[in-house]
Amino acid sequence: MKYIIGIGVTNGGKTTLTNRLIKNLPNCCVVHQDDFFKPRDQIEVGEDGFKQYDCLLKLWRPVSFVICMQNRHNLTLNPLIDVLNQRYFISIPYEECKKRRKYMVPDPPGLFDGHVWPMYLQHKNIMEESAVDVQLDGTKSKEQLFNFVYGDILNYIQKSL
């Protein structure tokens, strides 16, 4: 059986959630959108003046992480949104998202308000319009998010057997 989920949001805890899920689910692989970026010098600059990291992979957007419970060599990814069994979008308020955005190299001035947050809102709208399966509250604890998603995945798989 193949079971593919997508998890998306910026600074909402998707890496932490994904890492916990792959430790607890057998025969998984993870596909990170970040692994498929073009070289920095090939990334387009948008009308907002910022490099368009969130717009590169039209087939992937707005899902950033995929967990596949199958051997990765048999995974078909075109278009990704259509092959997902379950889609999770982690919603997070503006202030919390901005507070969590701490990287080794700080964002250039204006990036968060001029690009990151508008892209989050755009992706959130896309997910709502496409009837995302589950919207998660990104302000909940890491443990609460994991317990819900892990339980949801197990229930889905059990129903499918």
Side-chain angles (χ1 to χ4, degrees), residues 46-114:
E47 293 177 13
D48 59 10
F50 298 106
K51 289 192 178 268
Q52 302 298 295
Y53 289 104
D54 295 319
C55 301
L56 292 174
L57 302 171
K58 302 283 188 213
L59 295 177
W60 294 70
R61 189 172 46 115
V63 176
S64 299
F65 287 81
V66 176
I67 298 175
C68 176
M69 293 182 63
Q70 176 185 349
N71 183 317
R72 78 174 71 203
H73 302 292
N74 297 327
L75 182 62
T76 304
L77 296 175
N78 283 334
L80 182 60
I81 200 86
D82 294 336
V83 299
L84 297 174
N85 297 93
Q86 193 79 345
R87 295 174 294 166
Y88 298 92
F89 188 82
I90 304 171
S91 295
I92 189 166
Y94 172 89
E95 289 300 328
E96 184 66 20
C97 187
K98 192 169 187 175
K99 183 176 85 176
R100 291 182 185 182
R101 194 162 175 88
K102 305 222 186 298
Y103 296 111
M104 296 284 279
V105 177
D107 287 339
L111 179 69
F112 186 82
D113 289 321

Side-chain angles (χ1 to χ4, degrees), residues 7 12-21 32 34 65 90:
I7 302 172
K14 63 187 176 292
T15 303
T16 303
L17 176 58
T18 300
N19 288 340
R20 285 236 12 228
L21 290 170
H32 299 267
D34 292 350
F65 287 81
I90 304 171

Side-chain angles (χ1 to χ4, degrees), residues 12 16 26 35 69-70 77 86 93 109 117 121 129 147 151-152 154:
T16 303
D35 294 340
M69 293 182 63
Q70 176 185 349
L77 296 175
Q86 193 79 345
W117 188 251
L121 294 175
E129 288 170 8
N147 288 337
D152 197 47
L154 294 180

Side-chain angles (χ1 to χ4, degrees), residues 11 16 22 24 31 33 36-37 50 56 64 67 74 79 106 112 119 137 143 147:
N11 302 106
T16 303
I22 62 172
N24 288 278
V31 179
Q33 179 173 326
F36 295 90
F37 282 138
F50 298 106
L56 292 174
S64 299
I67 298 175
N74 297 327
F112 186 82
M119 290 305 297
D137 179 354
E143 192 69 25
N147 288 337

